[in-house]
């Protein structure tokens, strides 16, 4: 069954709190094995282990943190060409709204695409005017219901895509599920 890794960097704990919620969301899909690791403790074996990967970084100058960049440059650089086709997504905590958290997500997704990961966004609205098109973004730590829901939805969606595309569990396809529910109404 699906294996999901939530990999994060966090200097002051905000992205780590997001990571916990992303992991919680991934566990909502039955049969999914979820691991959470900081960039300081993760190694190449963790990236090889997972089918789905959620990567979180604090927004630093509008992009991913230097530690997260170094992880992909040096720690797992040798995996380039060996991890194509795994499924991945991004999340980021910034100091303020408009501080570049979505840019940071895009910078994470760019690195992941370079490694051949299949990356995705989420169209769902999880609160009033609150969505996660490029990954989950929060200013500071996740507190409001929508902020926490965005993190959980990201993890759940990752585990759903892993269930569908890695394990062939088509019944977890979120769009088809929604359509079936609509047809039942
Ligand atoms: C070097 C550095 C650069 C930062 N750059 C930005 C930035 O460009 N935009 C922003 O909104 N916040 C910026 N911040 C603030 C952090 O993104 C913010 O405090 C975040 O919540 C920290 O997450 P963490 O607790 O997981 O480390 C920066 C912080 C540091 C230390």
């Amino acid at each position: 069954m699906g294996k999901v890794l939530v990999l994060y960097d966090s200097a002051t704990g905000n992205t780590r709190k997001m990571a916990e919620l992303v992991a919680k969301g991934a566990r909502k899909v039955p049969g999914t094995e979820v691991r959470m690791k900081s960039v300081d403790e993760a190694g190449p074996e963790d990236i090889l282990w997972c089918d789905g990967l959620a990567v979180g970084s604090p927004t630093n100058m509008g992009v991913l943190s230097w530690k997260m960049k170094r992880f992909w440059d040096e720690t797992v650089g040798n995996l380039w060409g060996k991890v194509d086709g795994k499924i991945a997504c991004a999340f980021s905590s910034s100091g303020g709204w408009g501080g570049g958290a979505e840019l940071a997500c895009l910078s994470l997704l760019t690195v992941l695409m370079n490694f051949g990961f299949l990356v995705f966004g989420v169209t769902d609205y999880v609160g009033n005017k609150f969505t996660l098109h490029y990954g989950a973004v929060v200013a500071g730590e996740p507190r409001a219901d929508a902020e926490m829901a965005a993190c959980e939805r990201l993890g759940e969606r990752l585990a759903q895509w892993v269930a569908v595309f890695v394990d062939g569990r088509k019944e977890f396809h979120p769009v088809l599920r929604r359509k079936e529910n609509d047809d039942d109404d």
Side-chain angles (χ1 to χ4, degrees), residues 9-16 58-62 93-96 99 140:
D9 183 25
S10 187
T12 58
N14 295 332
T15 314
R16 183 178 51 73
T59 302
N60 281 177
M61 321 291 177
S93 165
S94 58

Side-chain angles (χ1 to χ4, degrees), residues 64-84:
L64 72 171
S65 68
W66 67 266
K67 270 196 190 181
M68 186 56 80
K69 179 67 163 47
R70 186 182 65 180
F71 178 81
W72 291 97
D73 286 349
E74 296 179 356
T75 309
V76 297
N78 288 342
L79 294 186
W80 195 88
K82 297 178 188 153
V83 291
D84 296 64

Side-chain angles (χ1 to χ4, degrees), residues 112-175:
L112 291 163
M113 286 174 76
N114 183 277
F115 272 79
F117 284 85
L118 309 178
V119 302
F120 69 90
V122 179
T123 56
D124 304 8
Y125 280 76
V126 292
N128 186 25
K129 296 184 177 162
F130 204 100
T131 186
L132 55 152
H133 289 356
Y134 306 98
V137 292
V138 168
E141 66 177 286
R143 280 205 188 116
D145 288 349
E147 294 167 356
M148 294 194 287
C151 299
E152 287 189 35
R153 184 67 59 93
L154 185 73
E156 183 179 12
R157 186 57 51 86
L158 175 60
Q160 286 172 326
W161 289 139
V162 166
V164 172
F165 291 116
V166 179
D167 294 326
R169 301 161 80 196
K170 300 258 182 287
E171 67 275 20
F172 284 97
H173 195 297
V175 181

